[in-house]
């Protein structure tokens, strides 16, 4: 008696399965990767009448790029060595006899800034005319753009609109000559592009230039900075230092500044000023003085009893980074249990009488090295 109802129920189940369009899901729905990384999306058919055919497409119906591959069966899409152009939405399209379904996934590709200047330079302009240079930067996340002058850390006032940062001079002067840097920065990196602006004077106004806009020298050396200037009458050249007097060991002859036995305190921006009756012009040199390390130990002598803790600190002045290395004179290695840290500390939790001796710290940077000694006496 109940055969017919059962048959109807079974027919209904078979029809609902056989007549159902695919039901899809994509994992992950959203993925964020850095440029060069790979990512995979999996399209899964939750239900629907078999057979189900899967296909991956770009959301804009464009073809998949050459670094986007679909695995066997069509369920897995892999984007290898991702690049910025891979960013966007991807669609998994499932088709069966009952219809079609679509599930989407989004890919975000982060990359370091790319910068373009318009015009690219070098720019030769006449004194008194307006000048502007546009800096356009792309990148993900959206980069922050700033302008500065080479040799100076001061951020310049600019105009920013629609991902373009513009540096402008309503009227340029000879002292505006120099190298200007547009910097774009995001979490993936920093990119800099330079433009050289040369302002050519009118009416015999001076235009100054230096032999080097940046230099790095070693402490104790002699340094020369040459400045030349065009103009009529012949400009008078003088040198100064930004926010400080010139080092007392200096001479200026024919526009050449000579500094003898420079020290770290002599680092900074040096300014050449050329002046005549028609005006003045400035050029800049940024000098950084590096020095080898000078090491000392604190304390220089240590008296302990067996079981005491020993702690000695090696300090060093000089250009960073500075590395430290400890040893014991006359021995192949430090005592068992001795710990030397990267910041120059030597530590023994519980000393023994055999730990007595002279310990040596060697401080090293890319210029040179220096050593300091500490004498350790352990008596019961």
């Amino acid at each position: 008696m109940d055969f017919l109802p059962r048959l109807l129920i079974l027919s209904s189940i078979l029809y609902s399965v056989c007549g159902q369009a695919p039901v899809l899901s994509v994992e992950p729905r959203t993925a964020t990767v850095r440029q060069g990384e790979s990512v995979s999306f999996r399209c899964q058919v939750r239900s629907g009448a078999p057979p189900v055919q899967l296909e991956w497409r770009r959301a804009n119906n464009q073809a998949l790029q050459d670094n986007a591959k679909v695995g066997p069966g069509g369920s897995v899409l892999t984007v290898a060595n991702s690049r910025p152009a891979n960013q966007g939405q991807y669609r998994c399209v499932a088709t069966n006899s009952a219809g079609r379904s679509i599930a989407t996934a989004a890919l975000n590709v982060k990359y370091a800034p790319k910068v373009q200047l318009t015009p690219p330079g070098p720019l030769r302009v006449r004194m008194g005319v307006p000048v502007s240079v546009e800096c356009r930067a792309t990148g993900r996340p959206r980069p922050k753009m700033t302008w500065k002058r080479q040799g100076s850390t001061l951020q310049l006032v600019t105009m920013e609109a629609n991902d373009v940062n513009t540096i402008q001079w309503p009227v340029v002067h000879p002292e505006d000559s120099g190298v200007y840097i547009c910097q774009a920065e995001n979490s993936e990196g920093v990119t800099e592009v330079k433009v050289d602006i040369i302002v050519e004077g009118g009416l015999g106004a001076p235009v100054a230039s230096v032999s080097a806009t940046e230099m790095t020298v070693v402490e104790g050396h002699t340094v020369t900075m040459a400045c030349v200037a065009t103009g009529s009458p012949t400009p008078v050249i003088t040198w100064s230092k930004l926010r400080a007097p010139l080092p007392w060991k200096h001479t200026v002859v024919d526009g050449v500044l000579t500094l003898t036995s420079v020290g770290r305190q002599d680092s900074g921006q040096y300014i050449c000023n050329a002046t005549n009756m028609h005006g003045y012009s400035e050029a800049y040199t940024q000098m950084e003085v590096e020095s080898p390390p000078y090491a000392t130990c604190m304390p220089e002598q240590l008296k302990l009893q067996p079981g005491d803790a020993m702690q000695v600190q090696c300090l060093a002045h000089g250009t960073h980074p500075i590395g430290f290395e400890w040893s014991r004179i006359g021995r192949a290695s430090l005592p068992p249990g001795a710990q030397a840290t990267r910041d120059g500390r030597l530590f023994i939790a519980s000393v023994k009488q055999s730990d007595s001796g002279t310990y040596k710290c060697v401080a090293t940077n890319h210029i040179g090295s220096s050593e300091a000694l500490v004498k350790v006496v352990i008596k019961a």
Side-chain angles (χ1 to χ4, degrees), residues 50 102 126 128 147 150 179 185 203 219 221 277 335 338 350 354:
I102 298 175
R126 298 294 298 174
W147 277 95
Q150 184 167 280
V179 177
E185 180 177 6
L203 299 174
E219 184 178 39
H221 286 198
M277 61 185 294
S350 179
S354 59

Side-chain angles (χ1 to χ4, degrees), residues 130-143:
V131 175
S132 66
V133 181
E134 294 183 346
C135 180
R136 186 182 303 273
T138 58
R140 297 191 186 100
R142 180 180 178 181

Side-chain angles (χ1 to χ4, degrees), residues 334-353:
L334 292 172
Q339 299 177 5
T341 62
R342 295 179 61 182
D343 62 357
R345 188 169 66 97
L346 179 65
F347 178 74
I348 300 177
S350 179
V351 297
K352 303 185 291 294
Q353 197 159 354

Side-chain angles (χ1 to χ4, degrees), residues 40-358:
S40 293
F41 297 96
R42 179 178 294 276
C43 184
Q44 291 183 312
V45 180
R46 298 299 183 184
S47 61
V52 177
Q53 182 178 358
L54 296 177
E55 181 185 6
W56 281 96
R57 303 175 185 172
R58 294 294 299 265
N60 52 14
N61 283 327
Q62 292 181 350
L64 295 175
Q65 293 174 305
D66 57 1
N67 63 329
K69 304 295 183 183
V70 179
S75 62
V76 177
L77 170 69
T78 299
V79 180
N81 193 23
S82 60
R83 47 186 185 254
N86 294 128
Q87 174 149 323
Q89 286 194 335
Y90 293 81
R91 293 178 176 177
C92 176
V93 181
T95 307
N96 68 2
S97 58
R100 188 178 72 160
S101 297
I102 298 175
T104 62
L107 175 61
N108 299 311
V109 181
K110 299 193 294 184
Y111 63 96
K114 298 178 180 178
V115 179
Q116 182 179 10
L117 297 185
T118 307
L123 301 181
R124 290 187 173 272
V125 295
R126 298 294 298 174
M127 182 179 71
V129 303
V131 175
S132 66
V133 181
E134 294 183 346
C135 180
R136 186 182 303 273
T138 58
R140 297 191 186 100
R142 180 180 178 181
K144 176 185 177 184
M145 290 182 286
T146 55
W147 277 95
K148 63 182 179 180
R149 188 171 186 160
Q150 184 167 280
S152 174
T153 58
L154 297 178
Q155 182 175 328
L156 301 176
V157 178
T158 57
M159 182 179 69
E160 186 167 1
N162 299 325
D163 296 330
V164 178
N165 196 313
T166 305
I167 185 170
Q168 296 177 318
W169 293 266
V171 177
V172 292
H173 300 284
E175 62 270 20
D176 295 323
S177 294
V179 177
Y180 293 83
I181 303 169
C182 178
Q183 182 185 85
E185 180 177 6
N186 65 11
S187 61
E188 300 305 299
V190 179
T191 303
E192 292 185 346
V193 177
K194 300 179 180 180
V195 59
D196 192 1
I197 296 179
I198 303 124
V199 180
E200 298 174 336
L203 299 174
V207 177
S209 62
V210 290
S211 56
T213 56
E214 294 179 341
M215 57 175 60
T216 301
V217 299
V218 176
E219 184 178 39
H221 286 198
T222 295
V223 179
T224 59
M225 304 179 192
C227 178
V228 296
T230 59
S232 179
T234 301
V236 176
I237 293 177
T238 59
W239 281 91
S240 61
K241 187 182 180 187
L242 182 65
R243 293 191 288 271
L246 287 171
W248 68 274
K249 289 184 179 180
H250 81 271
T251 59
V252 179
V253 178
D254 295 332
V256 178
L257 172 65
T258 301
L259 307 177
T260 305
S261 188
V262 294
R264 295 186 70 191
Q265 71 279 2
D266 298 326
S267 295
Q269 188 179 76
Y270 289 79
I271 306 165
C272 167
N273 188 293
T275 307
N276 68 10
M277 61 185 294
H278 298 296
Y280 71 95
S281 173
E282 292 180 343
Y284 306 89
T285 295
Q286 181 73 29
M287 183 180 77
E288 298 297 331
V289 180
E290 298 186 330
S291 60
Y294 175 74
T296 57
C297 284
M298 297 281 293
E300 295 180 351
Q301 187 169 354
L302 199 56
K303 294 183 178 180
L304 301 170
Q305 293 182 342
D308 289 348
M310 183 186 101
Q311 180 168 303
V312 183
Q313 180 70 53
C314 185
L315 303 172
H317 302 286
T319 301
H320 287 265
I322 298 175
F324 298 93
E325 184 175 355
W326 281 96
S327 61
R328 183 159 52 149
I329 293 178
R331 301 293 182 93
S333 61
L334 292 172
Q339 299 177 5
T341 62
R342 295 179 61 182
D343 62 357
R345 188 169 66 97
L346 179 65
F347 178 74
I348 300 177
S350 179
V351 297
K352 303 185 291 294
Q353 197 159 354
S354 59
D355 296 335
S356 296
T358 301

Side-chain angles (χ1 to χ4, degrees), residues 337-378:
Q339 299 177 5
T341 62
R342 295 179 61 182
D343 62 357
R345 188 169 66 97
L346 179 65
F347 178 74
I348 300 177
S350 179
V351 297
K352 303 185 291 294
Q353 197 159 354
S354 59
D355 296 335
S356 296
T358 301
Y359 291 77
K360 179 173 69 174
C361 169
V362 177
T364 305
N365 64 8
H366 70 282
I367 302 170
S369 62
S370 172
E371 64 181 47
L373 304 176
V374 56
K375 185 177 182 181
V376 178
V377 179
I378 302 171

